[in-house]
Amino acid sequence: MQIVLVDDSKSILVALDAAIRGLSGLRKIVGFIDPVEALEFCRDNAVDLLVVDYTMPKYNGIELVEALKAYKHFSHVPVIMITSETARPILIEAIEAGITEFINKPFDPIELKARVRNLLDLRRAQRDLAGQASRLVGEVQKATRQLAAREEEIIWRLARAIEFRDGHTGDHISRVAQISMLIAKDLGLDEDHCRMIYLAAPLHDVGKIGISDSVLLKPGRLTDDEITEMRKHVGIGVQILEKGTSELLRVAEAIAGGHHEKWDGTGYPHEIAGELIPLEARIVAIADVFEALCSERPYKKAWSVHEAYAHIDAQSGIHFDPDCVAAFQRQWPQIERLMAGHELLEIEVPSLEMPDEAQSTDDQITHITREFPNVG
């Protein structure tokens, strides 16, 4: 441990040093005649105890301690003041400045050594507690990261199960998630919010697990009754995700319940319009439609990315939030690269590759979202 001594008398500094040298656990004693030099040293170095005179030029002891206590790393360092002052106002001022102990001049070396030993023991215990607290904080942070990682893994595996059910390969939900995140970032949402959208976007169609195979896997266009049945997946998704205790599930519920609403109020299930639609749902709606248009299905050819881009642009202010469309357009170079098969985001995207047999089955059944019967 390190002690700093400050006194404008060189002989007193020598006497202070001699009184405390040899204490157990004491690494270094540094003495200063000039309080300004002491201030500069304490600013840049770890100090465990300060012993300071009261009457000094430039700074008195109280002024020096007040200046030092402004440094965060010095806020809990104990201080012994050596003084011949007995005036009560000065002593009160010293205590308020952060002085821990007082020793009268001329000092008793035995008393000084005992007080220094006691304060160093307290300082050592304080540092040990601070270290334990730091380790606990680190362990909590590690546990929190592990829980978040498990939550994210569950989300992606559930999304994979939905894609199996619907006949997708997993590429669809990965691209929807990445495009959604690009739009969210462009809109200036904070990092945590963007990541929530990225993780929740794959669950936008979670309600499809409640739709019958005859409708969900039908090759070709759906009848009006079948479209009505298909649209029930929104309500089912909300029921699956509602009343979640985490922010991630809250965002996922908002996306599942609102990604088929339209900016002009002609969407479903509630025909809400404009900013009444959750922002997260407005973002994912663009990513979902765009990716679906670019994907080949048994009853339609894949649109080119430029045709799909033109559709998104044409639907600005009608189907889609104009601000979200503008963000989509600003991110177009990134989105175009993504659609060409390039990985864009600095995020560890869980592998969603499916077995070869599942991929071959995908060629025989439909797995485009059925919410766009007028597409293609």
Side-chain angles (χ1 to χ4, degrees), residues 56-191:
M56 296 183 296
K58 299 181 183 178
Y59 286 101
N60 65 38
I62 294 176
E63 291 170 340
L64 176 60
V65 171
E66 287 176 335
L68 287 170
K69 291 294 184 179
Y71 302 135
K72 184 176 180 181
H73 71 279
F74 203 90
S75 60
H76 297 296
V77 173
V79 180
I80 296 176
M81 178 171 284
I82 300 178
T83 179
S84 57
E85 292 287 344
T86 58
R88 188 170 183 274
I90 292 178
L91 297 179
I92 295 298
E93 183 183 3
I95 292 171
E96 291 178 341
I99 307 299
T100 313
E101 295 270 11
F102 296 92
I103 294 182
N104 293 327
K105 279 187 173 181
F107 69 87
D108 181 336
I110 296 176
E111 178 188 4
L112 175 64
K113 187 172 184 178
R115 295 202 182 201
V116 167
R117 181 189 299 112
N118 291 340
L119 288 178
L120 287 180
D121 286 344
L122 288 172
R123 177 63 173 167
R124 187 176 295 109
Q126 180 189 68
R127 287 173 55 176
D128 289 345
L129 286 173
Q132 290 177 20
S134 178
R135 287 191 294 273
L136 287 173
V137 168
E139 290 175 7
V140 169
Q141 291 175 339
K142 180 180 178 180
T144 300
R145 288 193 297 269
Q146 289 175 340
L147 287 173
R150 290 170 185 170
E151 184 181 43
E152 293 170 12
E153 182 180 7
I154 290 171
I155 289 291
W156 280 90
R157 290 187 182 277
L158 178 57
R160 176 190 291 185
I162 298 164
E163 294 297 278
F164 267 111
R165 174 79 167 80
D166 197 20
H168 289 60
T169 64
D171 292 338
H172 170 71
I173 58 171
S174 178
R175 286 193 290 262
V176 168
Q178 294 192 67
I179 294 171
S180 297
M181 190 169 186
L182 288 172
I183 295 173
K185 282 188 172 182
D186 191 274
L187 291 172
L189 303 186
D190 63 59
E191 184 177 349

Side-chain angles (χ1 to χ4, degrees), residues 76-329:
H76 297 296
V77 173
V79 180
I80 296 176
M81 178 171 284
I82 300 178
T83 179
S84 57
E85 292 287 344
T86 58
R88 188 170 183 274
I90 292 178
L91 297 179
I92 295 298
E93 183 183 3
I95 292 171
E96 291 178 341
I99 307 299
T100 313
E101 295 270 11
F102 296 92
I103 294 182
N104 293 327
K105 279 187 173 181
F107 69 87
D108 181 336
I110 296 176
E111 178 188 4
L112 175 64
K113 187 172 184 178
R115 295 202 182 201
V116 167
R117 181 189 299 112
N118 291 340
L119 288 178
L120 287 180
D121 286 344
L122 288 172
R123 177 63 173 167
R124 187 176 295 109
Q126 180 189 68
R127 287 173 55 176
D128 289 345
L129 286 173
Q132 290 177 20
S134 178
R135 287 191 294 273
L136 287 173
V137 168
E139 290 175 7
V140 169
Q141 291 175 339
K142 180 180 178 180
T144 300
R145 288 193 297 269
Q146 289 175 340
L147 287 173
R150 290 170 185 170
E151 184 181 43
E152 293 170 12
E153 182 180 7
I154 290 171
I155 289 291
W156 280 90
R157 290 187 182 277
L158 178 57
R160 176 190 291 185
I162 298 164
E163 294 297 278
F164 267 111
R165 174 79 167 80
D166 197 20
H168 289 60
T169 64
D171 292 338
H172 170 71
I173 58 171
S174 178
R175 286 193 290 262
V176 168
Q178 294 192 67
I179 294 171
S180 297
M181 190 169 186
L182 288 172
I183 295 173
K185 282 188 172 182
D186 191 274
L187 291 172
L189 303 186
D190 63 59
E191 184 177 349
D192 286 344
H193 198 176
C194 291
R195 185 162 181 82
M196 287 294 177
I197 292 173
Y198 169 78
L199 292 170
L203 296 181
H204 64 281
D205 279 337
V206 65
K208 285 186 176 179
I209 63 176
I211 303 302
S212 66
D213 288 350
S214 62
V215 174
L216 188 66
L217 304 181
K218 178 183 177 180
R221 296 184 181 276
L222 302 179
T223 66
D224 290 344
D225 288 342
E226 289 169 337
I227 290 174
T228 299
E229 176 68 18
M230 177 64 76
R231 289 183 174 183
K232 291 180 182 178
H233 82 275
V234 173
I236 296 171
V238 169
Q239 290 179 45
I240 292 172
L241 299 168
E242 66 183 352
K243 300 178 182 179
T245 57
S246 71
E247 181 66 11
L248 178 55
L249 285 179
R250 187 201 67 78
V251 173
E253 179 188 352
I255 291 172
H259 72 288
H260 287 305
E261 302 288 357
K262 295 185 178 181
W263 185 256
D264 64 2
T266 61
Y268 69 91
H270 302 299
E271 297 185 348
I272 55 177
E275 294 184 358
L276 292 177
I277 306 169
L279 175 60
E280 299 93 341
R282 286 179 262 152
I283 291 171
V284 174
I286 293 176
D288 186 31
V289 172
F290 174 78
E291 206 289 327
L293 291 173
C294 293
S295 299
E296 184 175 355
R297 300 295 183 251
Y299 55 86
K300 82 167 189 69
K301 294 182 179 179
W303 292 23
S304 72
V305 292
H306 298 290
E307 289 174 324
Y309 176 97
H311 176 79
I312 300 298
D313 179 61
Q315 289 295 308
S316 177
I318 302 171
H319 188 157
F320 305 117
D321 177 350
D323 290 340
C324 293
V325 172
F328 172 86
Q329 293 171 330

Side-chain angles (χ1 to χ4, degrees), residues 320-359:
F320 305 117
D321 177 350
D323 290 340
C324 293
V325 172
F328 172 86
Q329 293 171 330
R330 288 190 294 269
Q331 291 297 315
W332 178 245
Q334 291 280 76
I335 294 170
E336 195 171 23
R337 288 187 63 233
L338 173 66
M339 299 305 291
H342 299 286
E343 189 65 53
L344 301 179
L345 302 179
E346 296 179 357
I347 280 183
E348 185 178 346
V349 182
S351 174
L352 294 176
E353 294 181 0
M354 297 171 69
D356 291 338
E357 60 267 27
Q359 294 177 355

